[in-house]
Amino acid sequence: MTTPRRATSTATDYDELVGRLDLASKVRLLTGRAMFTLWPEDSIGLGELRLSDGPTGVRGLKFSGGRIVALFPNATLLSAAWSEDSAYEVGQLLAEEALAQQLHVVLGPTINLHRSPLGGRLFEAYSEDPLLSGKLAAAYVRGLQGHGVGACLKHLVANESETERNTVNSVVDEATLRELYLLPFEIAVAEADPWSMMAAYNDVNGVAATEQHHVINEIVKGEWNWPGLVMSDWFATKTAAAAASGGLDLVMPGPRGPWGDALVAAVESGEVDEAVIDDHVGRLLRLADRAGALGEPRSCPADLPAPDSPARKEQLTRLAAAGMTVLINRDEVLPLRRGQRVALIGRHAIETIDMGGGSAQVNPPYQTSVAGGMMAALGDAVIVVDGVEVRSRPVPARVAFVTDPETGLPGVLAELYDVGGSLLERRPSQRGLVLAGFDDDLPARVARIVLRARVEGTGPTELGAMGTGDWTIRAGAETFGLALRPTGSGFGEEVLAPPAGSRVISLAGPTVVEAVSDIPPPGGDGSSPLRRVSVAGLIARPAPRDPAEVLAAAVAAARTADVAVVVVGLTEEQETESVDKTTLRLPGQQDDLVRAVAAAAERTVVVVNAATPVLMPWRDEVDAVVWAGLPGQEGGHAVAAALLGDIEPAGRLVTTFPADDNAAPAWSVTPVSGDLSYAEGPYIGYRGYHAGRAPAPAFWFGHGLGYASWDYGEPALVAGVAPPAVAVTVTNTGSRASREVVQVYLEPAAAGQPVRLVGWQAVDAAAGQSVPVEVRTEPRLWRRWDIQSGQWTRLPAGGRLLIARGLGDVRGVIDLAARQLQDPA
Ligand code: BGC
């Protein structure tokens, strides 16, 4: 792809442009124009800046029902490749997807850390480790911005869980904040100069993240001297003067919001200095300039691959498979051999989850299940058997099961009416779900939604609806009502986890189903845009079967095969924005399913279709386990390629998998009186397990077997390099070419300083080949924040370097005792 041309080749004088605007015009620019766009200002050549969500695809300007775009593997699956090159490639591909839509900024990467494994949104964020997160973020930002599209690091800061997410106060000591939670932001700023960041929903130590003078003004814009723009998370800004003076540059979304006239008044009364406003506008102009929305509009390349092009298929399959991680592989049961008879079992094999829930969702051109991928690769050698239920709530009707009764196309037809009964819009939906009044500019509040679909199944069928409202469901001669009310308290919960109800009805044949929702009038004065938003979904699917019957069918299939592959996992009920998990147990009776199959099959391979840790109480009873993340639109093909070894699943875990619930150094995500205490300090993830603050995990951060085995030579320090670098020779003792990730951890001598990853280096080697590897270490991990002096200080001399394949498999030790360590950067 050719890089888009920048709008201005000579340095633009932002102060001069700002000086041409009066106060009201300046303040107007500082709140969005709509959900994902900013105001243009012709008088200074400022065009409309256009933003889009981004972690797993560039969704575009609409939150739901938008254009068809490529769905990438999720963040943890991408990061499990431990590859800056892959992260760069992802950034570049996202830039292409953005440029094809004339977008200027992609709202990613998410670089909050995996503090507690219960965090519902960890699937969007890279890792529990700040170095891995920071380095990958920097590479992603370089890939994105190097091709003319802005990045937005999010969410600044201490935003690691979702419970009470709009109000929670994260209580974090200053050393932990800097050494851990700010570190990925700091590394990305230093190495890639991201053009924007997003201030989080939560408070940090009693101050809203959108008003964080200390974090935004003092640290990020001050100490780091970062010239970019800070925007608020969506609807997060609560105040005018405090937020504007606290360093927030832009309120999102718009056009309503707490700034506008209130901020103009605050400047006129002297409460906010006009220089503060000028600085915000200057930063906005710099972002626009960099992204090609100031001055002459940028020209976008015309040669961009379509979301379903062969180029995208190859890229997305390769990126997904490379991050998949082999956790167990007894007797080299993997890779599967062509010619083996495979029983492929599980609901996740048929309805593979390829993305998490919430603002990361996109509208992909197609989705590929593991069953589809395996059958494409192995044909008749695979038999596919459904598994036990994996959800506790019904989901909107899947396209294969319902068609629009008027066009016959897959999906549901929605009609939206105002309070007087006039039709506002007819909207076909492939997802069985509509979001009304959010980003569609409807002229009035939607008071009634009618959903219609032809249900193709026969026999016992679950029918129902989701979304707040008084529903009437009609299917042939059957009619029933549902009064659905919100389960949670906030906007996020009502939209992302809407209330649902259903019944089982026996259908004699294909039947047109109609679901009518009368939506209660909004509370409050109705002026908030959120009060006009409604979600409505049609539930239609074959009625759940008796679990005993399902297990018996799985066991019977397993007995006839050479190898049983059971696909288990989580769904968007667990891995979503706005909701945290309460357990790491697999939902439903999936553990029973694995055990039953393992007892019956000759060989059992388990594929875990989840982005984050799950418990595997059966892990000693099966032959192999592969963690497959949420693999994106090519997911099924990627799983098949990984299981067959066509692409090595060379991933290493990016987060530690606990052995049990509550057996992690940081667990609870439930605030107490509004406070969520980060009381474990810097001891999250492997840092805490290594210090004995939790029982030994099931699988360590950094663990991953690939399809080879490795010998390590004696490690040594590289002479004359500061901070220390490690040289070690690794030998591929397996029978296939493979990729090894040599990890170096520092175990400091100082009390209160946990072990930490200080560097890694990946290397490819043919079977039998020995390769010398040099691992440089990151200077920022050799320092600590001294609370007394309020400064960085170097760690005292001493400690050890551990050369490891995850801390459960340490292959070499270098004793640093008595060595004089170098000054931190
Ligand atoms: C999320 C952000 C996202 C924004 C816009 C918020 O709910 O927290 O990550 O970028 O919505 O969709």
Side-chain angles (χ1 to χ4, degrees), residues 36 53 59 63 107 121 124 154-155 165 198 201 233-234 359 577:
F36 292 106
D53 271 309
R59 190 181 57 237
F63 191 82
L107 303 174
R121 214 177 168 182
E124 266 186 64
K154 66 189 188 183
H155 309 83
R165 71 176 190 150
M198 188 184 292
Y201 285 121
D233 201 340
W234 268 230
S359 60
E577 184 175 338

Side-chain angles (χ1 to χ4, degrees), residues 5 28 51 83 134 258 316 360 384 389 392 436 449 461-462 474 534 546 576 611 614 630 637 743 793 825:
R5 194 160 46 79
R28 172 176 158 274
L51 324 178
S83 165
L316 298 177
V384 180
E389 292 296 317
S392 60
I449 298 180
T461 306
E462 183 180 2
R474 289 188 201 94
S534 305
D546 175 6
T576 184
V614 298
L630 307 177
H637 294 137
Q743 303 157 37
T793 105

